[in-house]
Amino acid sequence: MSFVEYGDTIKDGDTAIVFLGHESMFPVKVQHGTVTQTKYGVIRHSTDLIGKKYGSKVTCSKGGWVFILHPTPELWTMNLPHRTQILYSTDISIITMMLELKPGSIVCESGTGSGSLSHAVIRTVAPTGHLYTVEFHQQRAEKAREEFREHGVEHLVTVTNQDVCKNGFGVSNIADAVFLDIPSPWEAIGHAKSALKAEGGRICSFSPCIEQVQRTCLAMEECGFTEINTLEILLRVYNVRTISLQIPDLGKATEDNSSTGFDSSNPSNQGSLSTNLQKGSAQFKSGVPLREMVGHTGYLTFATKS
């Protein structure tokens, strides 16, 4: 099993996604002799998972059923264990596009965190690209290495445990893109410039506060970066529902009034006119935004090395 190469059959040691519904799913490490508890009953890995095809419908011990899905960066983002705040698909999609990532790209990242963006970048640059990711926290760096090894992508990523603001990325003049998700990105702009290729490399900095953005932009200008711009991606979710609205039968009311000499200007006839107009109803699909939703995640600042 690999996050960048699809496998048809579930094997011992794979990471799989147990899908109960769009709002209910979780990852599981497939191991011979192990069982997984769900609200529909027990899943026995030896008999219910190993050897079955990904996408299979598995019946649990209580008679309910689940689907077993092959892991992808998108599914991993929704189900990964949170060691830090993570980036979600809304921001990841614009980052990969604006950094112009493609198979074969060399990317430097700091910090690694929970590995949400890392998995998406690895899948994008595979099979010939490489990700150099730097994590300040030692335990998080070790856990990231373990996950990359379990997910079959360790040959596409190098994890380094150091302070990027002091020691940089450990590479020079090879990166096509640099991504920064650290508290003080302005302190790492110089190291990012050193890691980028001689000309045309792209940089992105993610910051939740506008004050961080201002200091980062000033540092980018001082280091000679051009095309500096900041974006904020806002996700707006709509709730689609069916509503019933009363509609006027204007044609019938006009015909009846003209044939009977109905005088709509007469105040005594206003109630009768209203009754005629309000006969009948129809159902419509209506979409309204949710009353509460996650709006601001952070500001994305992009620039180009000239």
Side-chain angles (χ1 to χ4, degrees):
M1 184 277 305
S2 172
F3 272 52
V4 297
E5 296 176 1
Y6 182 79
D8 190 53
T9 305
I10 304 172
K11 298 181 178 63
D12 189 13
D14 282 3
T15 298
I17 305 296
V18 179
F19 180 88
L20 292 81
H22 289 290
E23 302 297 329
S24 179
M25 63 184 89
F26 59 89
V28 61
K29 184 174 181 179
V30 180
Q31 292 178 310
H32 185 78
T34 303
V35 298
T36 296
Q37 293 282 350
T38 74
K39 63 181 180 181
Y40 300 126
V42 172
I43 301 174
R44 295 175 175 82
H45 293 200
S46 300
T47 58
D48 297 333
L49 298 184
I50 297 176
K52 299 289 182 65
K53 289 187 175 182
Y54 279 106
S56 297
K57 183 178 180 180
V58 174
T59 302
C60 305
S61 61
K62 293 182 180 179
W65 47 266
V66 298
F67 287 105
I68 307 300
L69 305 181
H70 191 283
T72 65
E74 291 82 5
L75 288 174
W76 186 245
T77 290
M78 298 171 62
N79 295 282
L80 58 78
H82 285 221
R83 299 184 289 273
T84 59
Q85 289 284 354
I86 69 169
L87 290 175
Y88 289 93
S89 299
T90 308
D91 291 309
I92 292 173
S93 58
I94 195 70
I95 290 170
T96 55
M97 186 190 75
M98 295 294 287
L99 289 182
E100 302 174 4
L101 303 186
K102 60 185 181 299
S105 295
I106 306 298
V107 183
C108 292
E109 174 197 28
S110 183
T112 312
S114 301
S116 175
L117 177 66
S118 304
H119 282 82
V121 169
I122 291 170
R123 195 264 306 275
T124 303
V125 304
T128 56
H130 201 84
L131 171 66
Y132 295 90
T133 182
V134 177
E135 173 56 52
F136 175 79
H137 195 276
Q138 182 178 358
Q139 291 180 336
R140 288 201 292 263
E142 293 174 353
K143 185 61 178 178
R145 289 193 192 98
E146 179 184 343
E147 285 181 350
F148 293 142
R149 183 171 57 255
E150 291 178 351
H151 298 165
V153 296
E154 71 276 8
H155 61 291
L156 297 170
V157 57
T158 299
V159 182
T160 305
N161 173 219
Q162 63 186 31
D163 185 352
V164 70
C165 296
K166 295 180 179 179
N167 306 113
F169 293 94
V171 297
S172 299
N173 302 318
I174 65 170
D176 297 291
V178 169
F179 177 78
L180 299 174
D181 183 6
I182 54 178
S184 53
W186 54 89
E187 295 181 1
I189 297 300
H191 294 297
K193 183 179 180 181
S194 299
L196 286 168
K197 59 186 181 182
E199 186 177 359
R202 296 279 287 166
I203 183 174
C204 174
S205 173
F206 176 91
S207 298
C209 301
I210 196 64
E211 291 81 6
Q212 294 170 302
V213 174
Q214 292 171 333
R215 295 189 65 175
T216 302
C217 289
L218 290 175
M220 288 179 175
E221 288 182 347
E222 292 175 358
C223 287
F225 283 91
T226 59
E227 300 178 348
I228 303 172
N229 65 87
T230 300
L231 308 176
E232 181 184 20
I233 311 301
L234 299 178
L235 179 64
R236 192 173 191 184
V237 180
Y238 280 81
N239 180 25
V240 179
R241 59 187 180 183
T242 302
I243 61 174
S244 181
L245 297 176
Q246 290 189 347
I247 57 174
D249 189 354
L250 299 177
K252 188 174 185 302
T254 303
E255 181 182 345
D256 291 346
N257 296 342
S258 61
S259 62
T260 60
F262 185 87
D263 184 8
S264 60
S265 62
N266 189 337
S268 63
N269 292 329
Q270 293 296 325
S272 177
L273 176 61
S274 175
T275 301
N276 288 336
L277 293 177
Q278 295 302 323
K279 287 182 179 178
S281 63
Q283 290 187 329
F284 298 91
K285 291 291 185 181
S286 173
V288 295
L290 301 180
R291 291 187 176 182
E292 295 182 2
M293 68 181 74
V294 177
H296 172 78
T297 57
Y299 299 101
L300 294 169
T301 301
F302 296 92
T304 303
K305 181 179 178 180
S306 62

